[in-house]
Amino acid sequence: MRQKYVVTHKILTTAGFCVNFASTIGLMKVKTLGEFVIERQSDFPFATGELTRLLSDISIAAKIVNREVNKAGLVDILGAQGSENMSGEAQQKLDVYANNQFMSALMAGGEVCGFASEEEDNFISFNGAISKSGKYVVLIDPLDGSSNIDVNVSIGTIFSIYRRLSLSGGATLEDFLQKGTEQAAAGYIIYGSSTMMVYTTGNGVNGFTLDPSIGEFCLSHPDITIPNKGIIYSINEGNYVHFPEGVKRYIKYTQEEDLKTQRPYTSRYIGSLVADFHRNMLKGGVYLYPETAKSPKGKLRLLYECNPLAFIAEQAGGMASNGTKRILDIEPKELHQKTPLYIGSSSMVEKIEEFLERHLELSGK
Ligand code: P6P
C-alpha cells in the first residue's frame, strides 16, 4: 500500500512541475510583443519585417533600461550627470545611460538612419553601411520625468518613428521635421509598478507588460481606448498665476460642485508625463501643460513628447491640442521646439479649448 502511495505521489509531483514549467516558459496563452507585431505586420503598409525589427530593437533597449531603473538606488547611476540638455535641464546619469542604450540598439538594428533625442543637441545620422540605407528615423525622450528617479516615482521613455524623406545618404533635418500626422509609429515605455510598452502604428493602441520571469513584453492591454470623459485633471497648479485666463477658469470649473457633470473633479499630478498620461488613458482624464512665465511656449517638446503621445491619444479615441490647434497638425520648425499641451479624454480637451477661446475673445487677443 505504502509503495503505491509513494508512486502516486511522485507522479502527481512530476505532473505539477510540468504544469508550472509550461506556464513559466509561456506555453500558457500569452502573446509576446514579437508575436503580436508579426501577426499585425500587414497593418503596417511598408512592413517587410522592418517594423518588427525596429520595435524589437526598442524593446531590447527598454529591458536594459528597466534593469538599471529598477536598481538605480543600489548603483552609482543616480543623481545629476553634471551636464545640461538642449533645454537647459540638468541631465541625470540615467538619462544619459538610457539615451545611449536606445541609440546603440537602433544603430545596431540597421532599420534606422537617424536618431534625435532630448539628450542630444542635434540629430545623429547613422552612417554605418547598413544604417545608411535605413528607411526610418526615430525621435525619443529616453527617460522622461528623470528628476523623479531619486525618489522612486514612475518614469518613462517616449518615442516617435517616421519614414525618412531623404532618398539616400545620411539622414537630413527634414527627415525629422515632419508633422505628427506623418508618424509611422509611436509609443512609450512606463517604468512603474510594472514595466509596460504601449504603441500604435495607426491601427489602434496596444499595451504589453514585461514579464520578468521570461524577459518578454506580453500583451496585457489590447485595443486601449480613452474614456470620452473622465474626472481627473493633471496640472502643476503652482504655476497658476501665470496660466492663460482660460486655463484659470477651467481649473475653477473643475472645482465647482455639480453632480450632473460629476464635479468637482480629482486633481492628480505625478510630475511625470508618461505616468500621468498612462493613468488618464486607462481611467479617463486630461493632462494640461500650458504656457507659463518660465516656459512661455510651454515646457513639453513637440517632436519627441507631444507628437507621439498625441498619435497614441487619437488612436485611442482621445484628443491632443495646443489650445487652439491639433498637436499633430503643427508644422515643426526646429528639433527641440516646445508647445503647450492639453491631452486626454476628448470631451475634456474640447472643454478646455472652449474656455481658452472664450477668454481669448474677452481679452481681445
Ligand atoms: P513641472 C518632466 O520634466 C516633464 O517633462 C514631464 O514629465 C512632467 O509632466 C513635467 O515635465 C513636470 O514639469 O514644471 O510641473 O515640474
Side-chain angles (χ1 to χ4, degrees):
M1 180 60 178
R2 176 165 168 68
Q3 179 64 18
K4 191 177 173 188
Y5 168 77
V6 168
V7 170
T8 308
H9 181 264
K10 277 190 175 175
I11 290 170
L12 288 175
T13 309
T14 307
F17 170 78
C18 291
V19 168
N20 284 334
F21 181 68
S23 62
T24 304
I25 62 171
L27 293 183
M28 270 176 40
K29 195 85 194 73
V30 293
K31 186 169 289 182
T32 66
L33 173 64
E35 289 165 335
F36 183 87
V37 175
I38 288 170
E39 190 182 278
R40 296 289 188 93
Q41 200 149 267
S42 55
D43 291 349
F44 195 61
F46 314 101
T48 51
E50 298 150 345
L51 176 69
T52 307
R53 282 187 294 278
L54 216 176
L55 284 172
S56 168
D57 297 339
I58 289 176
S59 70
I60 290 166
K63 293 176 197 173
I64 295 170
V65 170
N66 175 64
R67 183 190 62 199
E68 295 309 308
V69 165
N70 285 343
K71 63 182 184 182
L74 298 173
V75 294
D76 178 27
I77 200 159
L78 283 176
Q81 169 82 356
S83 53
E84 287 188 341
N85 66 18
M86 189 64 181
S87 301
E89 294 166 340
Q91 288 180 303
Q92 305 291 326
K93 288 178 183 172
L94 212 45
D95 272 336
V96 175
Y97 176 83
N99 183 67
N100 295 342
Q101 285 304 322
F102 283 101
M103 180 162 41
S104 306
L106 291 168
M107 196 183 296
E111 300 304 332
V112 171
C113 66
F115 176 85
S117 164
E118 180 184 64
E119 306 308 327
E120 301 288 344
D121 292 353
N122 206 337
F123 69 87
I124 294 167
S125 182
F126 293 165
N127 294 317
I130 300 175
S131 301
K132 235 158 112 170
S133 57
K135 295 177 184 166
Y136 303 96
V137 294
V138 171
L139 299 99
I140 191 167
D141 183 353
L143 212 54
D144 177 73
S146 52
S147 56
N148 292 303
I149 295 169
D150 297 19
V151 294
N152 219 351
V153 166
S154 299
I155 50 183
T157 296
I158 311 169
F159 62 89
S160 176
I161 301 171
Y162 289 89
R163 284 183 69 77
R164 68 184 300 179
L165 297 176
S166 51
L167 297 176
S168 61
T172 65
L173 183 59
E174 287 64 38
D175 291 329
F176 296 94
L177 297 185
Q178 299 187 54
K179 284 200 311 183
T181 47
E182 302 311 303
Q183 290 175 97
Y188 62 85
I189 295 106
I190 178 168
Y191 310 97
S193 47
S194 64
T195 295
M196 276 191 71
M197 181 160 160
V198 177
Y199 83 93
T200 183
T201 58
N203 294 281
V205 179
N206 291 283
F208 301 79
T209 299
L210 182 63
D211 178 342
S213 69
I214 58 173
E216 288 284 2
F217 281 103
C218 300
L219 183 62
S220 55
H221 296 68
D223 292 326
I224 299 175
T225 53
I226 304 182
N228 179 48
K229 79 171 298 302
I231 59 168
I232 296 171
Y233 70 102
S234 307
I235 187 168
N236 181 346
E237 295 195 44
N239 296 316
Y240 181 86
V241 294
H242 301 297
F243 286 154
E245 187 58 28
V247 171
K248 291 180 179 177
R249 298 297 179 94
Y250 178 74
I251 291 173
K252 292 308 163 201
Y253 167 83
T254 64
Q255 295 165 349
E256 290 165 352
E257 294 274 354
D258 179 80
L259 286 180
K260 190 163 59 66
T261 54
Q262 296 178 282
R263 288 180 290 145
Y265 292 162
T266 295
S267 172
R268 287 282 183 277
Y269 192 68
I270 299 171
S272 182
L273 168 59
V274 171
D276 279 315
F277 176 76
H278 183 70
R279 181 208 49 243
N280 291 349
M281 198 161 73
L282 299 185
K283 292 181 177 285
V286 67
Y287 172 98
L288 306 85
Y289 208 105
E291 310 88 316
T292 65
K294 189 179 167 196
S295 307
K297 292 184 179 171
K299 174 181 183 184
L300 300 172
R301 274 59 53 134
L302 171 65
L303 289 178
Y304 42 79
E305 291 175 326
C306 300
N307 268 342
L309 295 185
F311 188 16
I312 290 169
E314 290 197 5
Q315 283 292 310
M319 273 181 74
S321 165
N322 69 356
T324 57
K325 184 173 186 175
R326 186 183 176 216
I327 289 289
L328 295 181
D329 285 337
I330 298 174
E331 281 288 354
K333 298 286 184 288
E334 53 187 55
L335 216 44
H336 300 283
Q337 84 180 59
K338 300 178 179 179
T339 174
L341 177 67
Y342 305 95
I343 188 169
S345 295
S346 297
S347 65
M348 300 176 86
V349 175
E350 286 166 347
K351 178 61 82 174
I352 293 167
E353 288 184 328
E354 280 172 30
F355 273 93
L356 284 166
E357 185 179 4
R358 187 183 315 151
H359 292 283
L360 262 182
E361 285 162 7
L362 292 176
S363 61
K365 281 186 182 174

